Amino acid sequence: MSQGDVHRCSAGHPILPDDDAAAQGGAHGALLAHGVEHVTVAAEHLLRDVLASQRTRAAAEDPACGELWGDLDAVLGGKLMRPRLAAAAYLGLGGTDVGAAAHLAAAHELLHTAMLVHDDLLDHDEVRRGRANVAGRTRARVAAQGHGPAAAGQQAVAGALLAGDAALAHAFGLLAGAAPAAPGALPELLRLLADGVGTTVGGELLDVRGALAAPADVDALLVAELKTAVYSFRVPLESGAVLAGAAPGARAVLADVGTALGVAYQLVDDELGAVGDPAVTGKSVLSDLREGKRTELLRIAYRRADAAQSAVLDAHVGRPELDADGADAVRDVLHATGAVEAVRTSAARHADIARTLATTLPEPLATYLHGVVDDLAGRER
C-alpha cells in the first residue's frame, strides 16, 4: 500500500461518524476499536512500503546498503501496541484522517524498531522473537562470506548500530505524512518524539549503569518510567492527542495514563520474566536471572532478605550458567520475602491509577483505554 493509497482509503469512510445513534454505547466503542485496527493495518502496509523503497534506493548505491534495510524489514513484527495507542488517542479525540493517523502510527512502530535494535546491541543479543535480529543476520551473512568470528562480530555490531540509526531517522521522516491533517501540529510532534527518545536514552543509560550497582540500590521504577513508559505509552498517546488538536487537558491526562500504564506493564513484565509460566507467557524464566537484571522484584527481595536468603540470591543471580534448580531456589526467595506479592500490588496500583485517569476522557476512548489497561496489566502468569 503506497502512501497515496493510505490517504485514499479514508476518503468517504469516516472512522467515527457523527450520527447520534451510531455514537452511543457499545456501537460507538466498536467503531473506535474498528478504526484503530483500520489505522494499524494501514500503518503496517505503509511501513513495509517505506522500507521496501528505501531498500531499493540504498541497493542502487551498494548491495550492502540494501541489505541493511532488508534486515530492518525482516525484524518488523509484534503486537503493534504503540501504533494502536496513537491511533486510539487520535480517533478517540475526534481525528478522522486515516492517512495522517497511519503515518503517525508507522512512525511510532519504526521508532520502536530502532529502540529494539539498539537495545539488543546493548544486551549482546542476536535473537529477537525467536529469529535472528539485525546483528544476528549480519553476523550470519558475513560468516557465510568466509570471514572469521572476530570480523563477523565487528560487522554485526556496526550493522545493528547503523540500522537502528537509519530507522530512528526515518521514523521522524514519517511524521511529515501526518502534516496535511494538522500542519500546525508537526513542530510539536517532532519535539514530542525527540524528547521521548532523549528520555528513553537516559533510561537505557541508567539500566546499563545499574549493572555496576548492587540490586538493592537501583531505582528500577525510575528506569521503568524513563526507558519503557515514556516512548512506549506516554508519547504515542500524547502524539495522537496533538495530531487531533485536542485540548491541553486531554493531552495531559493521556500523558499521565501512559506513564502509569507503562510502569504497570514493566512491573508485570519483570515478574513474568522471573516467576511466570513459560508455557503461558512464552517468556523464559532464566534469562533475566542469568543476566542479573536490576528489576523492582529483585530490589525488594534483596532489601527484605535475611542472611541465608541473601546468600541464595548471591549464589545464583547473575550467573550465566544458572540452571532450573538454581532458578527455583531464587524464586523461592522471591516468594518468601514477599517481593512477588509487593510487585503485583505495585503493578495493580499503577494500573488502577491509569484506569481512574482514563475515566475522565471522553467516550469511547475512556472505555477503550480501560480495556488496554486490563489486557496489559493483567497478563496471565
Side-chain angles (χ1 to χ4, degrees), residues 44-249:
E44 190 172 18
H45 284 301
L46 173 61
L47 195 50
R48 295 288 184 186
D49 184 63
V50 167
L51 292 180
S53 64
Q54 288 300 320
R55 182 178 186 176
T56 300
R57 177 199 60 75
E61 299 169 350
D62 189 278
C65 298
E67 288 169 349
L68 181 145
W69 286 99
D71 289 341
L72 280 172
D73 194 9
V75 301
L76 281 180
K79 300 184 179 80
L80 300 174
M81 176 178 68
R82 294 151 194 85
R84 286 189 171 89
L85 290 174
Y90 173 70
L91 299 173
L93 292 174
T96 59
D97 190 318
V98 171
H103 277 81
L104 178 64
H108 280 294
E109 188 59 21
L110 193 53
L111 173 61
H112 175 52
T113 300
M115 294 295 188
L116 290 183
V117 171
H118 283 164
D119 193 55
D120 284 349
L121 188 59
L122 290 171
D123 292 340
H124 308 289
D125 286 335
E126 296 192 2
V127 175
R128 168 73 63 170
R129 304 187 186 104
R131 298 174 293 167
N133 59 15
V134 173
R137 289 171 61 86
T138 304
R139 180 188 293 276
R141 189 163 52 243
V142 173
Q145 293 167 354
H147 299 284
Q154 291 171 349
Q155 293 298 315
V157 170
L161 178 63
L162 295 172
D165 287 348
L168 183 61
H170 279 268
F172 282 88
L174 277 164
L175 288 180
L186 184 57
E188 181 59 16
L189 287 173
L190 290 169
R191 185 201 65 76
L192 181 59
L193 261 69
D195 286 349
V197 171
T199 299
T200 304
V201 167
E204 287 277 15
L205 178 62
L206 292 181
D207 192 29
V208 171
R209 291 283 176 85
L212 303 176
D217 296 336
V218 174
D219 190 343
L221 288 180
L222 176 61
V223 173
E225 179 176 341
L226 299 182
K227 180 182 173 182
T228 302
V230 171
Y231 101 86
S232 290
F233 296 91
R234 177 172 181 156
V235 174
L237 288 170
E238 270 199 89
S239 65
V242 169
L243 185 61

Side-chain angles (χ1 to χ4, degrees), residues 247-293:
R251 174 180 171 180
V253 169
L254 284 169
D256 290 341
V257 169
T259 299
L261 175 55
V263 173
Y265 176 88
Q266 190 61 57
L267 287 170
V268 173
D269 205 55
D270 290 340
E271 179 208 333
L272 296 178
V275 301
D277 181 353
V280 175
T281 67
K283 290 175 62 69
S284 167
V285 289
L286 291 176
S287 59
D288 283 358
L289 295 177
R290 284 173 173 167
E291 177 191 341
K293 184 178 179 182

